[in-house]
Amino acid sequence: MSLWLQIVDTAGAALLLIGAAICLLGVIGMIRLPDVLSRSHAATKPQTLGMILVLAGVALRLRSGMDLATLGLIAFFQMLTGPVASHLVARSAYRTGQIDHGDLLFDELDEQLTEGK
């Protein structure tokens, strides 16, 4: 095995480890944070970054064209669906009254929802 392949494999392993650690921090944030908005933030931001780093680490280890295309599709759909799902959860929590409005610095939805009444 050449020196270049050893460096690429080591970088891939490091990316896997860092991505897994970031995902773990996101899970700890989901458990420890107090409200829905904070938990949805912890469920989306670190998980997306951690998944991208894990996929980059796997891509460095596999090096096959079909595998790289599959990992690219996984990354694309992860970045597309994660934030949208988190937004929908936060919006439904807001509409069902599970948000403490005193904690919000600026509430743009209050004006939009009370105009029709």
Side-chain angles (χ1 to χ4, degrees), residues 44 48 78-88:
T44 305
T48 303
Q78 175 68 26
M79 293 188 67
L80 182 71
T81 58
V84 172
S86 176
H87 175 77
L88 290 176

Side-chain angles (χ1 to χ4, degrees), residues 2 12-13 18 21 34 41 49-50 60 63-64 79 84 89 93 108-109:
S2 71
I18 292 169
H41 177 78
L49 177 63
L60 287 176
R63 298 182 205 97
S64 168
M79 293 188 67
V84 172
V89 168
E108 293 178 351
L109 286 178

Side-chain angles (χ1 to χ4, degrees), residues 20-85:
I22 290 174
C23 287
L24 179 65
L25 288 175
V27 170
I28 291 170
M30 285 178 15
I31 293 171
R32 303 246 345 189
L33 291 173
D35 60 342
V36 175
L37 294 179
S38 299
R39 287 181 180 175
S40 68
H41 177 78
T44 305
K45 305 286 177 159
Q47 297 301 335
T48 303
L49 177 63
M51 179 65 67
I52 298 301
L53 290 176
V54 166
L55 291 174
V58 170
L60 287 176
R61 301 284 299 211
L62 292 179
R63 298 182 205 97
S64 168
M66 185 61 86
D67 294 333
L68 294 178
T70 304
L71 292 173
L73 284 173
I74 292 170
F76 172 73
F77 286 116
Q78 175 68 26
M79 293 188 67
L80 182 71
T81 58
V84 172

